[in-house]
Amino acid sequence: RNCSEIATERKVNKIKKQTVASSVYFLKYLISVRIAKMAEGLDGESFDVVVVGTGLTESVLAAALSLSGKTVLHLDKEEYYGQNEATFTLDDFLVWAEKHKSEEIGDEEYKVTQVDELNEDISLHARRFNIDLSARLVLCRGKTVEALIDSGVHRYVSFHSVDDALALYGNSSTQQVLRVPCSKAEVFKSKTLTMVEKRQLMKFLRFCMDRATRLKAGGDKDAVLWRNENGLDQGRSLPRPQNKEVKTLYDGEESLDDLSFAEFVEKNCKMSPRLLSLLSYTIALLRDENELESESAANVMEKIQTYLNGLGRFGNTAFLYPLYGVAELVQAFCRLSAVHGGLYVLREKVDSVVTDTEGKEKICKGVRLSSGSVVNANWVVGNGLTDSTQVSELKECRLVCIVNAPLATICSESDNAKSILK
């Protein structure tokens, strides 16, 4: 194509984008008018519970209260669901970033320090992907999946199996991107682990599986020997090598509940720092070195067992991800609450909690909204009710990167991987 055709196409796309933006703005105006009228109609209404904020915790709580028969009013000062777990399109994310870049921290949950300019071609594909403020994985055998099934929320959300798990190891000068092996075959095909590390990893994982088998059988030491026979009776493949001698890494008298994971590894396992990092942070999902020192060996092995049980349940890895972003989880619980009578009002801020003094105690009577309405309630729970002058000293830094290829492909070239993940 010649330059004039490309220029014409870009002008047409720009006009389309402006038309869509105008339509969205008008729609938001109509919604704001309707919400304002709804807020006025809440004056004097009574609820059992008022939940403030639509984060994941608050949404799960609202759903549980509605299912138990309580009348729930769920409020959020923003125009979107999710708070910390919100999901945006690229255009909405840039609007959100610009808004939080110009605000003081105060009682805000985020402050954006820098927004780089994006390639013009990316804007043409703005609605082909979503951006999460807080990316969260769901373990295939974790408690979250069971909770979704038991509550019925799984009917409102779809998931995608994570294809690959990658880990960044090393300091700024010696960084490596390691692919986390998700099966025995991948362990021995791995080019990042040495042969000694592969054997150490398999030995430790087998020990975790054997320990879980003994615990499930009530501590029977011979339970591991019968595991193959039980699998054969059900027509399954062998869970461990046939006639493999059962060895243990630990025969000490001290309980694993009293040993930290770091102490257990130091005394009983000969692991390289790289293998320990891979095992601790990508399989056991520990957050930092403090957890490595403080978490008991028994607790960490239980986490590893959960990871191993999830392999192959829904896909290659042990992780699931909401198909349209983490906010889908939030909206699914909100939808469940709404189905059972919960009332939702966005763009409505709680100015104060109304209390009454009975004796020496303050009794909650309701909330006063930014619209001036007073809502009666026996309980007020949620995020954003603390004094706005109190700012936590703990800070968390996050980076959102938009790439033009699968991460596994990019990370195969170490220089590109470092430039993205630094």
Side-chain angles (χ1 to χ4, degrees):
R1 295 183 300 172
N2 55 40
C3 295
S4 60
E5 290 177 346
I6 295 175
T8 303
E9 182 180 349
R10 288 185 175 178
K11 287 182 180 179
V12 171
N13 290 329
K14 187 175 181 180
I15 293 173
K16 288 181 179 179
K17 186 176 178 181
Q18 291 174 346
T19 304
V20 171
S22 301
S23 302
V24 170
Y25 178 81
F26 181 67
L27 182 60
K28 286 182 178 179
Y29 169 75
L30 293 179
I31 293 174
S32 64
V33 172
R34 184 177 180 183
I35 289 175
K37 292 181 179 179
M38 183 184 295
E40 292 176 2
L42 291 174
D43 193 22
E45 291 291 326
S46 298
F47 297 87
D48 292 327
V49 185
V50 172
V51 181
V52 182
T54 55
L56 184 58
T57 303
E58 292 80 18
S59 300
V60 173
L61 176 62
L65 291 169
S66 296
L67 283 170
S68 64
K70 304 294 184 183
T71 55
V72 177
L73 174 64
H74 204 167
L75 304 171
D76 199 309
K77 64 181 180 180
E78 303 292 350
E79 61 184 19
Y80 53 83
Y81 290 90
Q83 289 189 320
N84 294 357
E85 288 83 18
T87 300
F88 298 110
T89 62
L90 178 60
D91 294 336
D92 291 336
F93 176 74
L94 293 176
V95 172
W96 174 89
E98 193 61 35
K99 173 185 174 183
H100 287 74
K101 186 177 180 181
S102 59
E103 292 180 353
E104 294 297 326
I105 294 180
D107 62 346
E108 295 295 325
E109 296 160 345
Y110 291 97
K111 182 179 181 182
V112 178
T113 57
Q114 179 180 344
V115 180
D116 294 335
E117 293 186 5
L118 296 176
N119 190 311
E120 185 178 348
D121 293 335
I122 296 178
S123 61
L124 301 178
H125 307 283
R127 295 193 173 274
R128 296 186 64 183
F129 57 89
N130 292 325
I131 299 174
D132 290 324
L133 295 184
S134 301
R136 297 178 185 271
L137 295 172
V138 177
L139 279 167
C140 295
R141 288 284 183 184
K143 295 180 180 179
T144 302
V145 171
E146 305 306 323
L148 292 174
I149 296 173
D150 292 342
S151 63
V153 174
H154 67 284
R155 296 192 295 265
Y156 306 121
V157 60
S158 299
F159 288 91
H160 176 74
S161 175
V162 177
D163 296 327
D164 282 303
L166 305 172
L168 185 65
Y169 171 76
N171 54 38
S172 57
S173 59
T174 60
Q175 280 181 339
Q176 287 181 289
V177 178
L178 307 178
R179 186 185 297 272
V180 182
C182 298
S183 66
K184 184 177 179 180
E186 288 191 10
V187 169
F188 288 103
K189 287 181 181 178
S190 174
K191 296 181 179 179
T192 56
L193 299 177
T194 66
M195 187 58 68
V196 174
E197 288 175 330
K198 293 174 184 179
R199 290 173 179 169
Q200 291 173 345
L201 178 60
M202 288 303 302
K203 185 178 180 180
F204 182 81
L205 295 180
R206 187 175 293 118
F207 168 72
C208 292
M209 295 287 287
D210 291 347
R211 179 177 179 275
T213 301
R214 293 190 186 96
L215 291 176
K216 190 176 180 180
D220 184 5
K221 294 183 178 181
D222 296 329
V224 177
L225 297 173
W226 292 98
R227 190 162 63 178
N228 273 346
E229 282 71 10
N230 294 335
L232 287 173
D233 289 342
Q234 300 173 19
R236 298 177 180 173
S237 59
L238 297 180
R240 59 178 290 116
Q242 184 74 348
N243 300 322
K244 179 74 174 180
E245 183 182 356
V246 180
K247 295 182 180 180
T248 180
L249 291 174
Y250 183 71
D251 288 322
E253 296 180 358
E254 188 175 3
S255 171
L256 292 180
D257 291 315
D258 300 327
L259 274 177
S260 72
F261 184 63
E263 291 174 339
F264 174 81
V265 170
E266 183 180 355
K267 293 179 180 179
N268 302 279
C269 308
K270 297 179 181 179
M271 286 190 189
S272 65
R274 181 172 65 169
L275 182 58
L276 179 60
S277 177
L278 185 72
L279 187 68
S280 303
Y281 304 127
T282 62
I283 296 180
L285 302 179
L286 302 181
R287 284 179 289 187
D288 51 37
E289 292 183 1
N290 292 331
E291 283 198 354
L292 187 63
E293 297 288 343
S294 61
E295 286 280 347
S296 68
N299 190 24
V300 174
M301 287 181 191
E302 185 178 345
K303 293 180 179 181
I304 293 173
Q305 181 65 29
T306 302
Y307 176 91
L308 295 176
N309 286 339
L311 293 174
R313 186 182 186 187
F314 299 114
N316 188 42
T317 66
F319 302 111
L320 295 173
Y321 203 84
L323 189 60
Y324 299 104
V326 172
E328 281 294 294
L329 283 176
V330 173
Q331 295 182 44
F333 280 104
C334 291
R335 196 171 295 121
L336 181 65
S337 175
V339 168
H340 289 83
L343 179 61
Y344 282 78
V345 181
L346 301 181
R347 293 183 178 179
E348 190 62 58
K349 186 177 180 180
V350 174
D351 279 348
S352 61
V353 177
V354 180
T355 59
D356 191 11
T357 304
E358 293 185 7
K360 295 182 179 180
E361 296 183 356
K362 284 187 177 182
I363 307 299
C364 176
K365 292 296 183 180
V367 293
R368 187 181 303 278
L369 307 180
S370 57
S371 60
S373 302
V374 176
V375 178
N376 302 317
N378 298 325
W379 295 89
V380 179
V381 295
N383 192 13
L385 297 176
T386 57
D387 185 358
S388 61
T389 60
Q390 297 176 353
V391 181
S392 172
E393 295 180 359
L394 297 176
K395 292 183 176 133
E396 182 176 347
C397 298
R398 296 180 184 174
L399 171 68
V400 176
C401 293
I402 301 173
V403 297
N404 61 355
L407 195 57
T409 304
I410 295 175
C411 288
S412 62
E413 302 177 12
S414 58
D415 292 338
N416 289 339
K418 289 180 183 179
S419 66
I420 292 173
L421 299 172
K422 270 184 181 179

